[in-house]
Amino acid sequence: MEAPVPVPPLPHSTRTDGYDGSEMAASTAEESVIETRALTKRYGGDQLAVDGLDLTVPAASVFGFLGPNGSGKTTTIRMLMGLIEPTSGAASVLGRPMPRATRTVLPHVGALIEGPALYGLLSGRDNLIRYDSADPAADPRTRRTRVATALDRVGLTAAAGKKAKAYSLGMKQRLGLAAALLQPRRLLVLDEPTNGLDPQGMREIRSLVRELASDGTTVFLSSHLLDEIEQVCTHAAVMARGRLITQGPVAELAAGARGRLVVTTPDPGDAARVLKERGIADLTVTDDQVTGEPPGPGTDLAELNAALVTAGVRVRGFGLERASLEDAFVALTGEGFDVAG
Ligand SMILES: Nc1ncnc2c1ncn2[C@@H]1O[C@H](COP(=O)(O)OP(=O)(O)OP(=O)(O)O)[C@@H](O)[C@H]1O
Ligand SMILES: [Mg+2]
């Protein structure tokens, strides 16, 4: 296997005459790999796809860009990659303004954006060879090894000779990812990288993302799967209807939502009655479980438990369940994680 080619750091401009339009200070550029200010995209008349987005993606993070279908994820990614112009606002990637600095920035970025462009009549391998050939910085002598390594990383070696038009959605997705991995990059931007993959494929991509991140690559990935973001990301931003709801370290986002009090018992009716008497709100009752909002700071959990037992409730389990990112999303938006109407 060929040794990875080190990529020199992207030089930050030292010019102060505004030549490259880099409004972001060099220090900001080093800390955050993606930065947007009031980034807005309006399609047609009044369709606001992205609305005043302020995003900060720290270096070396695995950043999850989370939102239901139609919330503006792909539109944002297209603006970040310089594929479409924002209606207003600014974006910088690797410390450079986009789309102005597209040509200097993109060689350092591997991207997989919705529906990777493939030549259907070429094999997966030949698609990658073609892709690699289009990169002026790619050494032709090491091309075959590079392509073989990328195919191997995404688990496509066995299918590499097959025509791309015969690939399943998941295989196409893997091929697009392989293209993004041909060169070591400072930043990977992956739009729904596990789209179309089966559970095993999703696990493989997640572990690949972790592996890339452990090498220091910043990974920005969009998803509409909350648990996927929880499993793989260090940071996340939550979008709904084109607007940023929140962003930050995943642990903090989940902690922002309160967990649930969970009582497991064969006597759920009695348990619910006692909990209600004790002021526990938002009770849900199933066959063997009662959940509710955690008690306020004035209530001792041990006393609550004792009250259940005293009332004859057979308690099999009692405790606070950690809030998930999904809880946080629901708490923040006041709605389920559904497609905007
Ligand atoms: N080219 C376009 N012309 C007009 N409207 C568009 C265009 N692209 C996207 N939109 C609209 O902008 C909004 C955001 O779409 P976008 O594709 O960015 O969402 P998304 O979060 O990527 O969704 P998904 O999870 O389904 O991929 C949607 O209402 C969509 O219909
Ligand atoms: Mg999308």
Side-chain angles (χ1 to χ4, degrees):
M1 201 171 87
E2 152 204 15
V5 184
V7 172
L10 189 66
H12 295 301
S13 172
T14 50
R15 295 181 65 146
T16 52
D17 59 2
Y19 164 73
D20 71 356
S22 177
E23 297 90 11
M24 316 275 173
S27 62
T28 313
E30 279 150 23
E31 287 155 19
S32 58
V33 162
I34 296 172
E35 187 100 35
T36 72
R37 291 273 180 273
L39 190 66
T40 298
K41 180 69 185 181
R42 189 185 290 276
Y43 288 114
D46 49 12
Q47 169 77 52
L48 259 184
V50 176
D51 186 2
L53 179 62
D54 293 325
L55 205 59
T56 303
V57 177
S61 60
V62 179
F63 195 99
F65 195 40
L66 181 66
N69 294 129
S71 55
K73 303 180 298 291
T74 299
T75 302
T76 303
I77 288 173
R78 287 189 197 282
M79 288 192 278
L80 292 173
M81 296 294 96
L83 295 169
I84 54 172
E85 291 262 359
T87 306
S88 60
S92 86
V93 175
L94 298 172
R96 299 299 201 91
M98 296 298 278
R100 214 174 320 169
T102 302
R103 279 207 283 171
T104 37
V105 168
L106 290 194
H108 301 275
V109 182
L112 169 70
I113 304 185
E114 253 177 28
L118 301 171
Y119 292 93
L121 293 175
L122 294 182
S123 68
R125 180 183 294 109
D126 287 342
N127 265 283
L128 289 188
I129 286 176
R130 200 182 163 117
Y131 196 90
D132 194 78
S133 312
D135 180 353
D139 182 353
R141 289 168 301 179
T142 48
R143 181 155 295 142
R144 292 225 149 242
T145 326
R146 204 160 40 244
V147 165
T149 305
L151 285 165
D152 185 50
R153 285 192 104 169
V154 301
L156 267 188
T157 303
K162 207 167 164 175
K163 285 198 171 80
K165 68 172 180 186
Y167 275 12
S168 68
L169 176 59
M171 289 160 86
K172 286 179 182 154
Q173 198 73 351
R174 287 168 192 257
L175 190 59
L177 194 55
L181 296 177
L182 281 169
Q183 293 286 336
R185 312 283 188 184
R186 294 180 59 196
L187 169 65
L188 277 175
V189 175
L190 310 174
D191 192 10
E192 309 254 6
T194 58
N195 195 17
L197 297 179
D198 53 26
Q200 171 61 20
M202 289 169 109
R203 272 194 295 277
E204 285 167 20
I205 297 305
R206 272 183 221 129
S207 78
L208 180 60
V209 164
R210 287 193 200 99
E211 187 189 315
L212 292 162
S214 70
D215 294 345
T217 308
T218 306
V219 184
F220 181 84
L221 67 96
S222 79
S223 178
H224 60 272
L225 304 175
L226 286 151
D227 63 333
E228 176 164 284
I229 298 275
E230 279 203 294
Q231 285 177 41
V232 79
C233 296
T234 58
H235 295 69
V238 180
M239 297 284 284
R241 301 163 197 264
R243 304 189 76 139
L244 181 71
I245 304 296
T246 185
Q247 67 182 322
V250 167
E252 279 176 28
L253 296 182
R258 302 178 72 207
R260 298 280 291 174
L261 174 70
V262 180
V263 179
T264 308
T265 169
D267 313 311
D270 290 338
R273 183 177 45 76
V274 174
L275 292 173
K276 193 171 177 201
E277 282 166 13
R278 296 276 166 155
I280 301 299
D282 192 23
L283 291 170
T284 65
V285 182
T286 62
D287 278 353
D288 63 347
Q289 238 179 23
V290 183
T291 76
E293 278 184 10
T299 305
D300 182 9
L301 281 179
E303 270 172 30
L304 200 58
N305 192 1
L308 287 166
V309 175
T310 307
V313 175
R314 291 166 290 170
V315 177
R316 290 200 180 124
F318 181 95
L320 290 178
E321 208 167 69
R322 192 179 72 89
S324 69
L325 206 51
E326 178 154 15
D327 297 326
F329 182 87
V330 172
L332 285 161
T333 61
E335 56 190 86
F337 199 67
D338 295 326
V339 182

